[in-house]
Amino acid sequence: MEGYVKSFRGGIHTRSGNQMIVVIDSVGSKAEATKLVGKQVVYTTEAKNEIKGKVASAFGNSGALRVLFEKGMPGQALGKKVELK
């Protein structure tokens, strides 16, 4: 399953560097998103390095996912594809 990184998770004054909001086109509701909690997510950089993460929870009511990555994500990851295993 493939999705894309929509944004960093954060508030008005803070931004979490290792938490990202991921959208998957085939997931359209919060109920479908909660079934994916615990799955592994892999982002591959342009240098072919992999940054692994885990789906922590659903985000919002439209089926987005909150993903916790093992280290901070680069800004270049916004809008790029990730693989859900």
Side-chain angles (χ1 to χ4, degrees):
M1 223 183 239
E2 284 189 350
Y4 66 93
V5 176
K6 186 170 184 180
S7 68
F8 287 95
R9 179 180 178 257
I12 295 172
H13 301 292
T14 60
R15 183 177 73 189
S16 300
N18 67 333
Q19 295 186 32
M20 304 295 276
I21 306 303
V22 174
V23 175
I24 298 174
D25 293 331
S26 62
V27 177
S29 68
K30 189 173 187 174
E32 293 174 2
T34 54
K35 293 177 185 176
L36 299 174
V37 172
K39 297 258 185 186
Q40 187 178 11
V41 178
V42 177
Y43 168 71
T44 305
T45 63
E46 294 174 3
K48 305 298 183 211
N49 297 329
E50 291 185 348
I51 301 175
K52 296 178 182 177
K54 188 176 180 182
V55 177
S57 67
F59 184 83
N61 292 321
S62 61
L65 302 170
R66 184 170 61 91
V67 180
L68 287 149
F69 285 93
E70 59 189 13
K71 63 179 189 173
M73 293 288 284
Q76 291 88 350
L78 296 176
K80 300 290 172 91
K81 289 186 179 183
V82 293
E83 186 178 346
L84 187 73
K85 295 182 178 182

